[in-house]
Amino acid sequence: MALDKYGIAQRIAQELKDGMYVNLGIGIPTLVANCIPPGMTVILQSENGILGMGPYPLDAEVDADLVNAGKETVTLIKGAALFDSAESFGMIRAGKIDLTVLGAMEVSDTGDIASWKIPGKMVKGMGGAMDLVASAKNIIVAMMHTNPKGESKLLTACTLPLTGVGCVKKVVTELAVLSVTADGFVLEETAPGVTVEEVRSKTAGRLIVPANVREMKLS
């Protein structure tokens, strides 16, 4: 069966490595904070001014003044630091972030990402996504494979305003893990019970299917 959003976060957590500095975007990416493997040290950065963000708090741990960039309450790990957003974006723009995990509305098969605006709908601005996609060393997108209308979000070219060009390295959806190459999306893994044919039917962009496609392992 296809993964739920927590399953997507679990799979992305497998991309983490000890000692990484990681920024998690709003939505599904924030769930990765609760999936870091035991014994692994990963420093989570939030662009509103946190370095050393921990998992979501239990009810008894909630501090309304301690929030991430999506205004969700969070915890801090030992040694965490708090600072202003100017300092935070200085870290981002200086290339100090090893991995950024973002949600998206669309991703093209050349690695373009559209994640901030739907024409005709009012938004306050792009937020920190533009800086993150321009500066992070690695960018993984966590999103659903299709939109609410059932249309593919993995395209030959994005139709929505772009956040970044040629920057996405990998996409993890409820159906599959796909890497982005010069020749298009490469299907690396399918979710348990999901067939290659289903992924192919829901991917509008160029899709390369190797001879042997692994099934995801989440445990």
Side-chain angles (χ1 to χ4, degrees):
M1 296 179 63
L3 304 178
D4 60 13
K5 58 185 180 180
Y6 300 101
I8 295 173
Q10 282 183 286
R11 176 58 188 83
I12 289 175
Q14 295 176 17
E15 301 292 320
L16 303 178
K17 296 179 181 178
D18 198 54
M20 267 189 169
Y21 288 84
V22 179
N23 184 286
L24 302 177
I26 296 170
I28 296 174
T30 59
L31 300 175
V32 176
N34 283 57
C35 302
I36 296 173
M40 180 180 289
T41 300
V42 173
I43 308 301
L44 299 179
Q45 194 254 16
S46 183
E47 60 259 37
N48 61 319
I50 302 174
L51 189 65
M53 187 169 59
Y56 285 117
L58 300 173
D59 289 343
E61 300 173 320
V62 171
D63 180 346
D65 293 324
L66 190 59
V67 297
N68 62 18
K71 299 180 176 62
E72 300 171 310
T73 53
V74 295
T75 59
L76 300 178
I77 64 172
K78 185 177 181 179
L82 304 177
F83 35 82
D84 63 22
S85 59
E87 186 78 17
S88 180
F89 278 95
M91 294 175 183
I92 293 168
R93 293 170 184 171
K96 303 298 185 181
I97 304 302
D98 298 307
L99 170 65
T100 290
V101 183
L102 292 174
M105 300 168 188
E106 295 175 345
V107 175
S108 78
D109 60 21
T110 56
D112 300 345
I113 178 174
S115 67
W116 73 283
K117 182 177 177 64
I118 297 176
K121 291 192 176 183
M122 184 177 293
V123 294
K124 295 181 179 179
M126 188 177 286
M130 178 176 63
D131 295 89
L132 288 163
V133 299
S135 305
K137 299 170 186 174
N138 186 13
I139 298 166
I140 297 176
V141 166
M143 69 177 189
M144 306 308 287
H145 213 93
T146 59
N147 64 24
K149 296 180 181 179
E151 301 164 335
S152 179
K153 295 168 66 173
L154 293 103
L155 310 171
T156 53
C158 295
T159 64
L160 298 173
L162 295 181
T163 310
V165 175
C167 55
V168 176
K169 308 299 183 186
K170 185 170 289 188
V171 181
V172 181
T173 75
E174 79 280 17
L175 302 180
V177 177
L178 306 103
S179 58
V180 180
T181 72
D183 298 315
F185 297 113
V186 175
L187 180 58
E188 294 187 354
E189 302 175 18
T190 55
V194 172
T195 65
V196 170
E197 288 70 26
E198 181 177 1
V199 176
R200 196 191 302 273
S201 70
K202 294 181 178 178
T203 304
R206 295 173 297 162
L207 180 65
I208 300 166
V209 180
N212 296 303
V213 178
R214 302 185 301 273
E215 183 175 279
M216 285 187 212
K217 296 188 182 298
L218 300 178
S219 57

